[in-house]
Amino acid sequence: MEKFYSQVLGYGPVEESRQDTWLEFDTGLAKFSLHAIPPHIADQIEISDPPELREDTPFKLLWEAGDLEGELGRLRVLGIPLIQRPWGGWDGVDPEGNIFGIVPARHKP
């Protein structure tokens, strides 16, 4: 997952906070963390290829793209599954089936 999110975010992990079960990314505007799940929960999760979508999670991370079409093209080249939603939005899928949104960057006035 470190390699995946490094490629998607374009940021390396924050080494100062790295632990065996914790990995943090600093995007400059926010921090994003990956952590190990307790074994009794992890044992109930099946990782498949292609990943089974986890659309019933209570949250979704969103990435803003200044050039949405360019970003979608970059993600396709990386082999990341993309989903175009009926309302026109785009989502990507990580190797564990977690869904993240890709949205056009909002321009500030």
Side-chain angles (χ1 to χ4, degrees):
M1 294 304 289
E2 175 182 350
K3 181 179 177 184
F4 176 83
Y5 280 105
S6 291
Q7 289 176 344
V8 170
L9 290 174
Y11 296 100
V14 178
E15 294 302 327
E16 297 80 26
S17 62
R18 182 190 289 264
Q19 297 177 19
D20 290 342
T21 60
W22 181 265
L23 184 61
E24 209 171 62
F25 296 88
D26 188 347
T27 69
L29 298 173
K31 288 186 178 180
F32 170 79
S33 303
L34 300 175
H35 67 88
I37 330 176
H40 71 280
I41 296 173
D43 290 345
Q44 298 174 26
I45 298 172
E46 183 177 324
I47 305 299
S48 60
D49 187 17
E52 183 176 329
L53 301 182
R54 294 185 184 168
E55 299 212 57
D56 57 353
T57 59
F59 72 97
K60 178 175 23 176
L61 298 172
L62 297 176
W63 276 270
E64 289 187 342
D67 173 8
L68 182 60
E69 290 304 315
E71 182 64 5
L72 293 171
R74 184 182 76 84
L75 295 174
R76 283 185 189 102
V77 167
L78 291 171
I80 296 168
L82 297 173
I83 304 165
Q84 185 171 20
R85 298 301 185 174
W87 56 89
W90 285 92
D91 287 335
V93 182
D94 77 13
E96 292 185 356
N98 301 303
I99 297 171
F100 58 91
I102 307 132
V103 298
R106 292 180 272 173
H107 298 285
K108 296 182 180 181

